[in-house]
Amino acid sequence: MRKTTASPADMARHVGAIPTQPGPKETSTMTDTATDTVAQDVTDVVTDTLAQDVTDPDAVIAGAGPVTRPGERPTVRLREGGPEDQPRYAPEWLQLREPADAAARAVDLLDPLRIRLANLPNGRSGGLAVHDLGCGTGSMGRWLAPRLDGGQHWILHDRDPYLLHFAAVASPRAAADGSRVTVETRRGDVARLTPDALTGASLVTASALLDVLTREEVETLAAACAGAGCPALLTLSVAGRVEFSAPDPLDEELAAAFNEHQRRGGLLGPDAVGVACEAFADHGATVKVHPSPWRLGPEQAALTAQWLRGWVGAAVEERPDLAERAEDYLAARLTACQAGELRVTVHHSDLLALARPTGRV
């Protein structure tokens, strides 16, 4: 599929120079006006990128679904690559999906999380230390920080310094009770976490991460959280199920092919939540799972169109024999999307793992 989007260089020129490694001092002193300006600049680029006919099957935002490299989502950049290995998730795609992500996350998991955080051995005197793994542009922090009381210091982890820049400058500044929220960024490989990396952590969060991990990497993550004695809120893992308002005979074949595509290279894909439940439970954690589906209608037509292209593209990459039928299918779905006649439910799951506290002070 042809990519039609602003390159990272184009985005950099539009937004301004991107620091190599924005840190806590830099981000904590940034004014609200500067933050708003950067956020608006990103929105402008998103608007420009999406100013195209949504029925064009080739009009794909770079990174809008797994259509470039099978079985990897390099926003998270879990594994080492060569110098030519560029991140595939563009900020404009992450910006496009952020409202749907925010609406989908399971708020029912927040009360048990708040209770656990209020009773951590280190209390709230020093505030919460929150590690956001594979943070992308920081949507998890923008959603969660204003829903938790008390001072918070967010440590944003990602392999991509470009995305870390956006996450840092657009981070929230206040908790639910008005307490201060600060942030720092760390480049690193999420798959190589050890308990020492999370020393002092109050909470670990991630969004759309579990399904691009292997079983071994999920077990490493569970062990790291257990070693730190901190809960983990891991949201928006693909569940492998999609429902359309107007079913089509090809829906099930495409869904099955997409799910197999997600499992390439030993990645867990739609099996991730089940594996994670076992891994955290094996380390003594109490695990809660709640559905967190995207519910996409006419108001989310741009997101639906981009998701459809990526979903169908991955399915065809897994099963080339579907290509001819999938082309007609995609064209019809995009036409219905543009007409405001298509509604889609893309199922995800959120997981809360409450590890046993370690008794740290």
Side-chain angles (χ1 to χ4, degrees):
M1 291 189 179
R2 176 171 53 87
K3 298 179 183 178
T4 55
T5 185
S7 69
D10 293 335
M11 290 286 286
R13 285 191 292 270
H14 187 80
V15 174
I18 297 177
T20 303
Q21 183 78 355
K25 180 177 180 180
E26 180 176 346
T27 57
S28 63
T29 58
M30 183 166 292
T31 66
D32 291 339
T33 300
T35 299
D36 292 343
T37 298
V38 172
Q40 184 59 51
D41 285 341
V42 176
T43 300
D44 290 343
V45 174
V46 174
T47 302
D48 293 343
T49 302
L50 296 175
Q52 55 192 330
D53 183 356
V54 299
T55 64
D56 178 3
D58 289 332
V60 180
I61 292 178
V67 296
T68 304
R69 298 184 57 189
E72 187 178 6
R73 193 175 296 168
T75 295
V76 181
R77 297 295 300 276
L78 299 175
R79 298 161 193 82
E80 294 292 344
E84 75 288 349
D85 186 16
Q86 295 299 316
R88 188 188 47 167
Y89 260 22
E92 54 265 43
W93 164 246
L94 300 177
Q95 178 95 353
L96 181 61
R97 66 173 287 173
E98 184 166 344
D101 287 350
R105 289 191 182 97
V107 295
D108 289 354
L109 295 179
L110 292 183
D111 278 347
L113 174 62
R114 293 184 185 109
I115 291 170
R116 173 55 60 89
L117 293 177
N119 289 284
L120 284 176
N122 60 341
R124 288 193 180 272
S125 59
L128 299 175
V130 184
H131 289 254
D132 188 5
L133 309 181
C135 66
T137 57
S139 66
M140 186 66 173
R142 288 188 290 274
W143 180 81
L144 183 58
R147 288 172 167 81
L148 299 177
D149 287 335
Q152 300 167 40
H153 181 66
W154 282 69
I155 301 96
L156 309 178
H157 298 257
D158 207 289
R159 287 288 307 277
D160 188 340
Y162 185 65
L163 294 178
L164 283 172
H165 166 75
F166 285 106
V169 299
S171 63
R173 296 295 184 259
D177 60 358
S179 298
R180 188 182 182 202
V181 175
T182 57
V183 62
E184 68 176 279
T185 61
R186 293 184 188 175
R187 292 186 66 189
D189 192 329
V190 177
R192 297 180 179 178
L193 282 176
T194 66
D196 288 345
L198 298 178
T199 298
S202 308
L203 171 65
V204 169
T205 70
S207 192
L209 174 68
L210 283 180
D211 44 89
V212 293
L213 296 178
T214 65
R215 178 180 291 271
E216 181 181 0
E217 290 161 354
V218 167
E219 291 171 350
T220 297
L221 174 60
C225 292
C230 67
L233 180 63
L234 308 171
T235 68
L236 296 168
S237 298
V238 296
R241 294 182 294 115
V242 177
E243 298 174 29
F244 292 90
S245 55
D248 183 282
L250 199 55
D251 292 344
E252 291 188 8
E253 283 189 81
L254 290 170
F258 176 84
N259 289 342
E260 286 309 306
H261 186 280
Q262 293 294 91
R263 297 183 176 104
R264 285 186 174 189
L267 303 186
L268 291 172
D271 306 319
V273 170
V275 171
C277 286
E278 294 176 5
F280 279 97
D282 286 346
H283 285 279
T286 300
V287 183
K288 301 176 183 292
V289 177
H290 200 281
S292 54
W294 275 358
R295 302 189 187 278
L296 308 180
E299 299 80 7
Q300 297 83 26
L303 174 60
T304 304
Q306 289 297 328
W307 170 81
L308 269 169
R309 296 180 183 108
W311 186 69
V312 172
V316 170
E317 186 173 303
E318 181 67 23
R319 279 191 55 190
D321 61 291
L322 292 173
E324 185 174 348
R325 288 184 291 157
E327 183 177 0
D328 293 338
Y329 172 97
L330 180 57
R333 288 296 196 199
L334 291 175
T335 297
C337 181
Q338 187 176 47
E341 299 171 352
L342 184 65
R343 294 182 180 276
V344 187
T345 300
V346 183
H347 289 276
H348 304 95
S349 297
D350 288 3
L351 180 151
L352 175 64
L354 301 173
R356 295 171 179 168
T358 59
R360 62 187 184 276
V361 294

